Structure formats: C-alpha cells, structure tokens
C-alpha cells in the first residue's frame, strides 16, 4: 500500500461529510479480505474482515471471554460520540438518566474496562492497539475509546481506489471551499483534538 500501515475506517463518517459538502467523490472503496496480521511474541494472528470470524479468533484464544458485550458497549459509545460530531446538542443530551446510568462505560479507565471482558493477554493487546495507534495511553484513557476497536473489528478495514491520498485531497479541497485555514509545520498544543476540530468546523459551517 502506498502510505505504509494506513487503515480506512469509519467510511460512514467520510460519506456523511461528502454528502453534506461535496457533490462528487472520485474513488471507490475495497473491503480488505483480512484487516491485518498481528505479531505477538511467537504467535501470528490474522485478523479477518468479518465480525463472526473475529469472534472465532477470540474464542479460540479464550473460550470464556465476553467480547460481544465489549463490542456492544463500544457500539453504544460510538453512537453517543456521533451526536457531538453532527448534531446541535445541549446540556440535556449529556446530562440525562441514560447517560448517567452508563457513565462508567464512558469514563472508566480503559485498562480496567477491558479487564471486565477478557483476561487473555493477547486479546487485551488486540483491544488496546487502536488507542496506541492514535497516540493514546490505555492506562489513562477513558473507556469511551472502546468505540475504536468496535469500529475496526465490526465495520472492517477498507482501501480507497487510487490510494490514501485521495480522501485527504478531498477533505483539503472542502476546507478551502469553506475558508478553513490549514496551518502546516506549526506547533499544535492540543494535537489529539485536531481532526475532531476540523470535522466540527465543517459541520458548523454547513449548518
């Protein structure tokens, strides 16, 4: 692949942006047969691009895991976080009975959250690496990040026609269209929020 270890996840998010702000997208997505191969000590684990087969992989490693429940919570966290990306929201979207009952699924330490569903070291690592990949430490990250492994394992990995530069170029052109400034070679004090801020800027501009 043309840009090293790059994964195209969350195609629904890209589609939402394109549908809102662009009339033409000149690439198609190919769903990979296998997402990747994971090397762990002397074990090589191929991660398939099918959630049923992924459950088989995890169950072969640890028969009494509760990964389905982990992914169920990850899906809930994903839907919860989407509201703050696309919708106009108020304090009652955050502070309500449902969210208060599920608050431990949002803000519990990620490592502690995983330990409720598996005791297997390799599965534990497979659920942590998406956080590490984006620069977060699972030891002090909140459990709302369980949406990341859910997205990757449940929705699968894709590759865009003509390479990973294509969606970047499209997003860059969209920012120019809406007069959003892109600063290169500049220090960003809160870099982990950069992508979120960009998407929120697009969303608010189109409101």
């Amino acid at each position: 692949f043309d840009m090293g270890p790059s994964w195209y996840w969350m195609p629904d998010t890209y589609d939402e942006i394109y549908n809102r702000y662009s009339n033409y997208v000149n690439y198609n997505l190919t769903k990979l047969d296998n997402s990747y191969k994971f090397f762990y000590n002397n074990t090589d684990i191929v991660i398939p691009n099918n959630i049923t087969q992924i459950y088989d992989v995890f169950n072969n490693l640890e028969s009494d895991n509760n990964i389905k429940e982990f992914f169920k919570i990850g899906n809930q966290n994903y839907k919860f976080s989407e509201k703050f990306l696309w919708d106009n929201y108020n304090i009652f979207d955050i502070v309500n009975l449902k969210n208060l009952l599920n608050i431990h699924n949002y803000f519990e330490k990620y490592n502690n959250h995983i330990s409720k569903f598996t005791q297997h070291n390799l599965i534990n690592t497979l659920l942590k690496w998406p956080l590490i990949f984006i620069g977060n430490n699972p030891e002090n990250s909140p459990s709302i990040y369980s949406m990341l492994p859910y997205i990757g394992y449940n929705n699968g990995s894709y590759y865009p026609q003509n390479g990973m530069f294509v969606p970047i170029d499209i997003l860059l052109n969209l920012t120019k269209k809406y007069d959003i400034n892109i600063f290169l070679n500049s220090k960003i004090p809160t870099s982990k929020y950069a992508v979120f801020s960009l998407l929120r800027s697009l969303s608010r501009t189109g409101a």
Side-chain angles (χ1 to χ4, degrees):
F1 295 143
D2 61 307
M3 289 184 66
S6 297
W7 288 268
Y8 191 106
W9 284 2
M10 301 171 64
D12 53 330
T13 301
Y14 285 90
D15 289 344
E16 181 68 25
I17 296 172
Y18 299 151
N19 290 336
R20 289 187 179 214
Y21 310 111
S22 178
N23 295 324
Y24 177 68
V25 177
N26 62 342
Y27 67 86
N28 295 315
L29 292 177
T30 299
K31 189 172 185 178
L32 305 179
D33 293 334
N34 295 307
S35 291
Y36 45 84
K37 179 182 286 188
F38 199 90
F39 299 91
Y40 183 85
N41 294 332
N42 296 321
T43 304
D44 298 348
I45 300 292
V46 174
I47 302 300
N49 225 341
N50 177 284
I51 189 61
T52 301
Q53 295 176 7
I54 289 173
Y55 286 141
D56 290 340
V57 170
F58 286 169
N59 289 336
N60 286 335
L61 294 170
E62 182 187 38
S63 59
D64 60 346
N65 71 72
N66 197 12
I67 298 302
K68 288 186 177 181
E69 181 64 21
F70 176 84
F71 284 151
K72 178 181 177 180
I73 294 173
N75 180 33
Q76 293 170 351
N77 289 346
Y78 182 33
K79 292 179 178 178
F80 174 73
S81 65
E82 279 188 312
K83 174 175 287 293
F84 304 100
L85 183 61
W86 301 120
D87 299 338
N88 293 321
Y89 56 89
N90 57 50
I91 189 63
F92 298 107
D93 291 317
I94 303 174
V95 181
N96 56 50
L97 180 60
K98 178 181 178 181
N99 289 338
L100 290 175
L101 291 174
N102 290 317
I103 195 168
H104 60 286
N105 291 330
Y106 303 145
F107 299 113
E108 182 181 26
K109 295 294 185 183
Y110 189 74
N111 275 352
N112 296 338
H113 183 69
I114 291 177
S115 67
K116 295 179 179 179
F117 306 96
T118 178
Q119 299 300 315
H120 195 280
N121 287 337
L122 178 51
I123 297 178
N124 191 291
T125 302
L126 288 169
L127 297 177
K128 286 181 180 180
W129 83 260
L131 274 74
I132 299 171
F133 185 72
I134 64 171
N136 283 19
N137 184 345
E139 292 185 1
N140 53 33
S141 295
S143 52
I144 194 170
Y145 279 107
S146 63
M147 66 180 179
L148 292 181
Y150 163 78
I151 291 167
Y153 292 126
N154 187 74
N155 298 351
S157 298
Y158 296 80
Y159 190 73
Q161 179 186 7
N162 299 323
M164 293 297 296
F165 278 109
V166 174
I168 295 174
D169 287 339
I170 292 175
L171 291 175
L172 178 61
N173 289 332
L174 284 177
T175 62
K176 293 177 180 178
K177 178 180 178 180
Y178 290 99
D179 296 325
I180 298 173
N181 295 322
I182 302 294
F183 296 92
L184 303 177
N185 300 317
S186 301
K187 184 178 180 180
I188 305 176
T190 55
S191 58
K192 64 182 179 180
Y193 301 114
V195 174
F196 178 81
S197 298
L198 171 60
L199 295 178
R200 283 297 295 166
S201 295
L202 283 171
S203 178
R204 287 170 177 167
T205 304

